[in-house]
Amino acid sequence: MTAARVLLLPGWQNSGPDHWQSRWERRHGFHRLEQDDWMWPRRGDWMARLEEALLAADQPALLVAHSLGCHLVAAWAAHSRQLHRVAGALLVAPPDLERADMPPQVQTWAPIARRPLPFAATAVLSSDDPYCDAAIGLGLAGSWGCTTTSLGAAGHINGDSGQGDWPAGLALLQGVAQRAGVVLPGAAA
């Protein structure tokens, strides 16, 4: 089996040092996709950065997205001709970008891309996510063709929600890798 590289796709404002994505970057050597502007994210710019990162390597990628990063995956997949470069995705806590109370910095990301993803994907949801009603989250996951896991009351599944190194999330990523027929970096083939 082929070893995949893991690209971490943070959401709006990036992921802070206590966020599980930052912990995974430090602990497992996963690569964070850096954006030019974390405060005023422009969908086209973020999509172009993801495309560049995928074109820069021959290895298939596993995308690990949080919050707005989930919408980056969906928007990119709806437009790219490089879909074969992604083996799978773990989409954690996608927000409802079509809510009236979303900050102006992310309102330009609406409407939400709702096409099925052409690769293995798992959505991880929380029943009390302040940025997405549970039913909306399930609807997004369904439109993207994801398998779904609920963590129960876990907030926005970020640095403030107490996930720490989040070994259960890493196990979910391993499940995506298995369904996609790839192995995580450092794992035995």
Side-chain angles (χ1 to χ4, degrees), residues 92-120:
V92 182
D96 177 2
L97 297 177
E98 295 172 345
R99 287 176 18 175
D101 64 345
M102 289 307 284
Q105 292 93 327
V106 297
Q107 287 178 357
T108 60
W109 284 66
I112 295 170
R114 287 185 163 83
R115 291 185 186 171
L117 298 173
F119 39 76

Side-chain angles (χ1 to χ4, degrees), residues 117-168:
L117 298 173
F119 39 76
T122 295
V124 184
L125 309 174
S126 167
S127 62
D128 66 346
D129 188 331
Y131 303 108
C132 190
D133 179 79
I136 298 291
L138 284 170
L140 287 172
S143 69
W144 294 333
C146 298
T147 60
T148 305
T149 297
S150 176
L151 299 185
H156 194 48
I157 316 174
N158 57 11
D160 295 332
S161 65
Q163 301 303 320
D165 288 339
W166 199 28

Side-chain angles (χ1 to χ4, degrees), residues 21-33:
Q21 282 186 319
S22 298
R23 290 170 179 255
W24 285 11
E25 182 180 26
R26 290 189 304 267
R27 186 177 187 121
H28 305 292
F30 298 161
H31 177 74
R32 179 187 307 251
L33 184 67

Side-chain angles (χ1 to χ4, degrees), residues 2-7 54 58-64 73 76 82-90 117-122 173 175-184:
T2 303
R5 62 191 179 115
V6 176
L7 287 178
L54 292 169
D58 291 330
Q59 268 182 301
L62 289 170
L63 305 177
V64 179
V73 172
W76 172 84
Q82 301 298 323
L83 299 173
H84 63 280
R85 295 180 178 273
V86 173
L90 183 67
L117 298 173
F119 39 76
T122 295
L173 179 59
V176 171
Q178 287 174 344
R179 288 195 338 264
V182 296
V183 296
L184 293 178

